[in-house]
Amino acid sequence: MTWHTLVAPPSELGESPFWHPEEQSLYWVDIPGRQIHRCKVGDGANGPVQSWAMPTEPGSIAPARTAGRASGLVIALRDGIYRARQWGGPLEPLVRAGHDTATTRFNDGKADPVGRFWAGTMYEPRDARQAQLFSVDCRDGRAPLVELKAGDAIIANGLAWSPDAATVYWTDTPSHTIRAWDWDGQSNAMSRRRVFCQWPGKPEGWQPGMPGYGGRPDGAAVDVEGNYYVAMFEGGRLLKLSPAGELLADIAVPARCPTMPCFGGADLRTLYLTTARYKRPDEELQTWPDSGCVFSMRVDVPGLPVNFFRD
């Protein structure tokens, strides 16, 4: 299993990658760089990276469909959820943020298997558990229906669904905890909250490069067998966990701070991974000069295709 560096300039903090099957393109965001990127990716040749500047930090994105046809993106910015009907087009506000945008912004998000968009928040002072998870339902042209789905977190991450759409996962990164719930797609009800996986916190006084710390859970993706892949930020590794939370693989990454995986390619057997270099120590960037780039590797088990937001 060998990582390859995608031909792309490094992001400060790459996040929210997804493979668009109709465009044969990989999308991702650079949060502090306030950019959305996309790149056509093919066998042996990649197209140029296209970049789209945002007015505030894009925490997450998802592809969208209207009347069954692909139609741009849904975008979680610092101050709300927006709809763009085409690349580079106007940003139509769907939902204004209910949080204080001076301290909180939208972060990790995805569309669910039936077409709602979910986005969690990040509480930047990190001294209180004020982050929350919301879903936004605009299916069949309805006015946005916003539901609070979970809370008691600091940084929302790790959002994913099982192949049978019966389980939803959500992570609070600073607590090193991935939670799981039973989920009913029709009613959008979550029940039986439980801890899916948890790791020890960062040891006091730990510095990058020191032993004794394996990182904290960030973004995630699920394969067709229900295995949960999670990027371990500051751990320099990607973990593959079984549906029961058992460790199946511990995959070294050529960057200290991986942020989020996704599956793509025509057979969904290419694993893509975004990474970060934002505010990382100089020594670390000298050791991993491609930090911030997108990496890829081939895997045996295909992943789940991206879900589309529907309106």
Side-chain angles (χ1 to χ4, degrees):
M1 300 176 72
T2 302
W3 290 106
H4 301 280
T5 303
L6 191 72
V7 180
S11 296
E12 288 298 305
L13 175 52
E15 269 284 8
S16 197
F18 74 82
W19 173 261
H20 199 300
E22 296 173 25
E23 298 179 9
Q24 297 290 290
S25 295
L26 184 72
Y27 282 70
W28 69 99
V29 305
D30 181 352
I31 296 177
R34 299 186 178 187
Q35 298 275 337
I36 299 175
H37 301 297
R38 71 176 178 180
C39 177
K40 284 193 176 295
V41 182
D43 293 334
N46 299 326
V49 175
Q50 296 179 303
S51 301
W52 180 11
M54 293 287 108
T56 61
E57 301 96 324
S60 51
I61 54 175
R65 290 193 196 280
T66 302
R69 295 179 298 183
S71 60
L73 301 170
V74 59
I75 305 166
L77 297 179
R78 171 175 286 271
D79 61 347
I81 310 298
Y82 292 80
R83 183 73 166 86
R85 303 286 168 178
Q86 61 186 18
W87 178 263
L91 299 178
E92 306 168 11
L94 293 179
V95 177
R96 296 293 189 185
H99 53 250
D100 180 357
T101 58
T103 62
T104 305
R105 64 169 175 81
F106 279 107
N107 197 48
D108 181 75
K110 291 178 179 176
D112 71 21
V114 300
R116 305 177 188 92
F117 183 67
W118 295 48
T121 58
M122 171 178 176
Y123 182 62
E124 293 172 316
R126 306 188 189 194
D127 58 4
R129 305 187 64 79
Q130 295 190 16
Q132 297 175 308
L133 176 65
F134 299 89
S135 69
V136 181
D137 191 352
C138 297
R139 291 174 297 164
D140 303 318
R142 73 185 69 180
L145 172 63
V146 181
E147 293 186 45
L148 173 63
K149 306 308 298 178
D152 189 33
I154 297 175
I155 301 177
N157 267 310
L159 185 65
W161 282 265
S162 61
D164 62 2
T167 303
V168 59
Y169 301 95
W170 189 52
T171 293
D172 177 35
T173 295
S175 70
H176 296 71
T177 302
I178 303 171
R179 308 173 194 168
W181 290 259
D182 293 348
W183 181 68
D184 180 86
Q186 182 174 355
S187 65
N188 201 21
M190 296 164 62
S191 60
R192 206 169 68 88
R193 168 178 157 166
R194 55 201 181 272
V195 172
F196 173 66
C197 207
Q198 190 171 39
W199 294 267
K202 184 190 296 187
E204 186 175 352
W206 183 89
Q207 295 295 322
M210 294 174 60
Y213 180 58
R216 52 196 180 273
D218 202 317
V222 174
D223 69 20
V224 296
E225 295 179 350
N227 301 309
Y228 183 94
Y229 286 73
V230 57
M232 298 299 285
F233 192 90
E234 272 195 325
R237 59 191 184 138
L238 179 73
L239 302 185
K240 179 182 178 180
L241 306 174
S242 77
E246 302 161 327
L247 179 63
L248 300 179
D250 187 333
I251 306 165
V253 173
R256 172 70 69 186
C257 296
T259 55
M260 186 174 174
C262 76
F263 292 91
D267 59 2
L268 292 173
R269 288 181 51 228
T270 299
L271 182 65
Y272 294 101
L273 180 68
T274 50
T275 63
R277 64 187 296 116
Y278 185 59
K279 296 183 178 180
R280 302 309 300 170
D282 290 340
E283 297 83 358
E284 179 178 312
L285 298 180
Q286 290 171 6
T287 303
W288 288 287
D290 286 341
S291 295
C293 288
V294 181
F295 299 96
S296 68
M297 71 159 54
R298 294 290 289 167
V299 294
D300 294 332
V301 178
L304 298 177
V306 67
N307 296 320
F308 278 72
F309 172 74
R310 299 179 186 274
D311 59 6

